[in-house]
Amino acid sequence: MSNKKAILVYTFMLVIPYILSLALIGIAYNALVLHSASLWRTAVGSCVGACIMLAVKITVERPLEIILNFVNNRFLRFLVNSFWITQSKRKIISNLIVDFVLSGIATWGIRQLFTHGQILGNLLGIVLGLMFVFALIGAYLEFDLLSVDGAD
């Protein structure tokens, strides 16, 4: 796989869905919690969001391993390794911290960008639809490489 194609697959299957997952955390938290604007409640939402993101990252371990086998670019290898968390406890802890901060930013950002009516309305469905579309595009770009049947 060329570095260009690896970057496209990585972007469509991991980076964009990761950002949209953070948006989903922010939307869901702001929709469920009545007074979500307090710092304490945002921190609790960030903690839950970080745990959810850790679970999501565990599910993408195999595609990351496959992409890593075909990538020579150092920067891209660094990006792929940043999502690959089963290597060490230090990586798990650092990923939890980063996801905690990003979940807090997403919760705050969604609250600032959208009204409560928009958050309770169609926003969740729109973000889920976008996540599905971008994951499909990423899978289409390199289906043969990422298929389970072709893996060793």
Side-chain angles (χ1 to χ4, degrees):
M1 172 188 324
S2 70
N3 283 331
K4 275 187 187 180
K5 198 167 194 179
I7 289 170
L8 281 175
V9 170
Y10 182 77
T11 300
F12 283 106
M13 286 194 73
L14 299 169
V15 174
I16 293 173
Y18 179 78
I19 293 168
L20 292 173
S21 294
L22 289 170
L24 286 175
I25 289 167
I27 293 166
Y29 186 73
N30 285 307
L32 291 173
V33 177
L34 185 59
H35 301 290
S36 61
S38 76
L39 183 60
W40 166 248
R41 290 185 175 151
T42 300
V44 170
S46 297
C47 184
V48 172
C51 292
I52 290 169
M53 292 306 292
L54 182 68
V56 168
K57 286 179 182 178
I58 290 171
T59 63
V60 297
E61 290 291 315
R62 181 67 179 150
L64 286 176
E65 183 180 354
I66 293 169
I67 291 173
L68 198 58
N69 289 335
F70 292 96
V71 172
N72 297 324
N73 185 321
R74 282 183 171 212
F75 180 69
L76 189 57
R77 287 184 75 81
F78 170 76
L79 287 177
V80 172
N81 274 323
S82 67
F83 273 85
W84 201 3
I85 58 171
T86 57
Q87 293 176 342
S88 69
K89 288 185 181 188
R90 193 189 86 211
K91 279 184 105 172
I92 292 172
I93 292 169
S94 64
N95 268 276
L96 277 172
I97 292 168
V98 168
D99 289 338
F100 175 82
V101 171
L102 292 176
S103 294
I105 291 170
T107 301
W108 177 83
I110 292 293
R111 193 169 44 244
Q112 299 304 312
L113 291 173
F114 301 101
T115 66
H116 194 68
Q118 290 171 326
I119 292 171
L120 292 174
N122 296 333
L123 192 57
L124 187 66
I126 292 168
V127 172
L128 276 173
L130 286 172
M131 185 181 293
F132 183 71
V133 167
F134 283 113
L136 283 176
I137 291 170
Y140 175 76
L141 288 173
E142 200 53 61
F143 177 76
D144 293 334
L145 177 70
L146 298 175
S147 70
V148 177
D149 294 335
D152 38 55

